[in-house]
């Protein structure tokens, strides 16, 4: 298409994104960003420099010279359409893009950001299922930052992993008359009750991290959405990480992959899908698998550490792979693996999900086979954008999905936080 294409590594998005993007905007006609990561930042002063088309693309899998080939035709056409459209409009918020949820959040936000200044402030109530959760700690601090950057008053409360506590907190927020609720439910099975409680007040709800049934969202149409990541993708990536090892997971060469699984909270769809899809990736690749035991470790490091210690003494060398539904449990597993004098990459493999700083360092050091980035920045950005759309009375999609990214020794340095 005779386009000159240059690729820019943004580095750590929070710190470098604006500067890098501004530089690009000065020299390019079109900037392709993955997910909606630029949104949620105060872009005043730079958006005017160029037409920004927030396009989802496989940024992390790009090879140096094939950027344009990696972008799907649909996304490219959409990007071109956005650029065309901006000639007639002052912002690219007019894009009717629906091909990816993240990009549609991002696309809508250009229009929204100009309105924010005139709309003034709003009060946002955020309910987190439990502060004592490593990943949700990252997520909530991002979310708080982005919402405050948007000029909103934000109150964040700790559900302490107790649905009754969270329900009381929601009632308190309703009495205070918050404008939007962001809810990370303690129990997804209580999501319908939450909606029924909130509905009479017509307060919009952005559900995050723990996906309720679609019927719940449908029951409060136009006032309720979900922002999350498709956990099937993270499970598949975990399986692929094992298939990419030297022995493809079969360290002892007996023709099958023998594993244990440390699982998160059993009611949680993330735990269910990661458990299922990590193994499905192996069997889809034609591998034989044997599960020695599935442990219920509730996302918790100490519980996983104890269970893996027991497993190692019970099953010994039979264990070739330790799958953990999240990094906190993988870090616990690693402690026990090291105590048992086993060596990751040599006589055992270990994978997690989240890309917590410590786990990414372990991947770099070879102490973990790999992890999967659970994009807290992308999800918090999308949640903040959805909140903003509700505050401004704009149209909100029912679902916003943010991609996971496979993290191996080769790319881990990009994810050191
Ligand atoms: C998952 C995450 C876990 C835990 C859980 C809470 O997405 O990977 O570490 O935070 O959410 O619901």
């Amino acid at each position: 298409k005779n386009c000159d294409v240059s690729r820019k590594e943004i580095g750590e998005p929070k710190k470098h994104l604006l500067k890098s993007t501004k530089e690009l905007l000065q020299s390019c006609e079109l900037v392709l960003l993955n997910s909606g990561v630029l949104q949620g930042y105060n872009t005043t002063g730079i958006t005017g420099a160029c037409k920004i088309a927030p396009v989802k693309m496989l940024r992390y899998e790009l090879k140096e010279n094939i950027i344009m080939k990696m972008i799907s035709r649909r996304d490219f056409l959409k990007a071109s359409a956005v650029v065309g459209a901006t000639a007639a409009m002052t912002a690219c918020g007019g894009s009717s893009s629906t091909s990816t949820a993240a990009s549609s959040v991002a696309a809508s936000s250009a229009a929204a950001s100009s309105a924010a200044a005139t709309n003034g402030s709003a009060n946002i109530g955020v309910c987190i299922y439990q502060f004592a959760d490593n990943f949700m700690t990252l997520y909530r601090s991002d979310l708080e930052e982005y919402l405050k950057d948007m000029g909103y008053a934000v109150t964040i409360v700790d559900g302490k992993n107790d649905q009754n506590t969270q329900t009381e907190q929601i009632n308190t927020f309703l009495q205070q008359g918050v404008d939007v609720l962001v809810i990370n439910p303690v129990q997804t099975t209580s999501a319908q009750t939450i909606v029924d409680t909130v509905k009479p007040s017509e307060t919009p709800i952005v559900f995050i991290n723990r996906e309720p049934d679609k019927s719940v969202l449908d029951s409060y149409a136009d006032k309720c959405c979900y922002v999350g990541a498709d956990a099937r993708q993270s499970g598949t990536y975990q399986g692929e990480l094992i298939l990419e090892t030297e022995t493809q997971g079969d360290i002892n060469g007996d023709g099958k992959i023998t594993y244990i699984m440390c699982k998160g909270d059993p009611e949680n769809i993330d735990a269910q899908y990661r458990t299922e899809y990590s193994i499905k990736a192996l069997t889809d690749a034609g591998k034989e698998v044997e599960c020695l035991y599935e442990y219920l470790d509730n996302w918790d490091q100490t519980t996983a550490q104890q269970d893996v210690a027991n497993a190692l003494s019970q099953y010994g060398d039979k264990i070739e792979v330790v799958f953990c539904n999240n990094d906190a449990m993988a870090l616990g597993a690693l402690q026990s693996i090291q105590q048992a004098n086993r060596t990751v990459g040599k006589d055992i493999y270990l994978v997690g999900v989240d890309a917590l700083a410590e786990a990414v360092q372990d991947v770099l050091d070879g102490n973990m086979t790999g992890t999967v980035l659970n994009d807290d920045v992308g999800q918090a950005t999308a949640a903040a954008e959805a909140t903003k759309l509700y505050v401004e009375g704009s149209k909100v999609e029912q679902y916003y999905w943010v991609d996971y990214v496979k993290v191996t020794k080769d790319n881990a340095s990009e994810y050191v936080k």
Side-chain angles (χ1 to χ4, degrees), residues 129 133 135-136 209-210 268 270 274 299 326 354 374:
Y129 94 94
D133 175 302
F135 173 71
M136 287 313 300
N209 173 256
R210 296 181 154 189
N268 191 308
D270 287 2
R274 287 174 194 166
W299 307 118
N326 77 349
D354 281 341
N374 195 358

Side-chain angles (χ1 to χ4, degrees), residues 129-130 132-137 139 184-186 208-211 226 229 231 234 264-265 268-271 274 298-300 325-329 352-356 372 374 379 404:
Y129 94 94
Q130 168 164 243
D133 175 302
N134 311 37
F135 173 71
M136 287 313 300
T137 299
Y139 194 143
N184 169 211
V186 175
I208 58 167
N209 173 256
R210 296 181 154 189
E211 186 187 345
Y226 176 68
S234 54
D265 153 32
N268 191 308
I269 196 86
D270 287 2
R274 287 174 194 166
N298 285 314
W299 307 118
D300 183 62
N325 285 171
N326 77 349
D327 278 349
M329 296 189 290
V353 175
D354 281 341
L356 297 180
V372 179
N374 195 358
Q379 290 174 72
Y404 285 100

Side-chain angles (χ1 to χ4, degrees), residues 57-92:
M57 61 183 200
L58 302 173
R59 177 179 68 153
Y60 302 112
E61 290 166 23
L62 293 180
K63 299 280 178 297
E64 211 44 53
N65 294 316
I66 55 167
I67 293 180
M68 297 312 285
K69 285 189 197 140
M70 296 292 291
I71 300 168
S72 74
R73 184 173 155 71
R74 191 177 54 166
D75 276 350
F76 181 72
L77 290 177
K78 191 183 70 193
S80 317
V82 172
V83 171
T86 51
M89 289 183 275
T90 50
C92 48

Side-chain angles (χ1 to χ4, degrees), residues 107-133:
S108 344
S109 98
S113 59
S114 57
T118 50
N119 279 7
S121 193
N123 292 312
I124 315 298
V126 180
C127 298
I128 299 296
Y129 94 94
Q130 168 164 243
F131 279 8
D133 175 302

Side-chain angles (χ1 to χ4, degrees), residues 36-43 109 145-147 149-150 381 384-385 388:
V37 78
L38 178 66
Q39 313 303 327
Y41 292 84
N42 181 359
T43 56
S109 98
E145 181 186 331
Y146 304 156
L147 289 170
D149 278 356
M150 288 170 170
T381 303
E385 287 301 332
K388 186 173 179 180

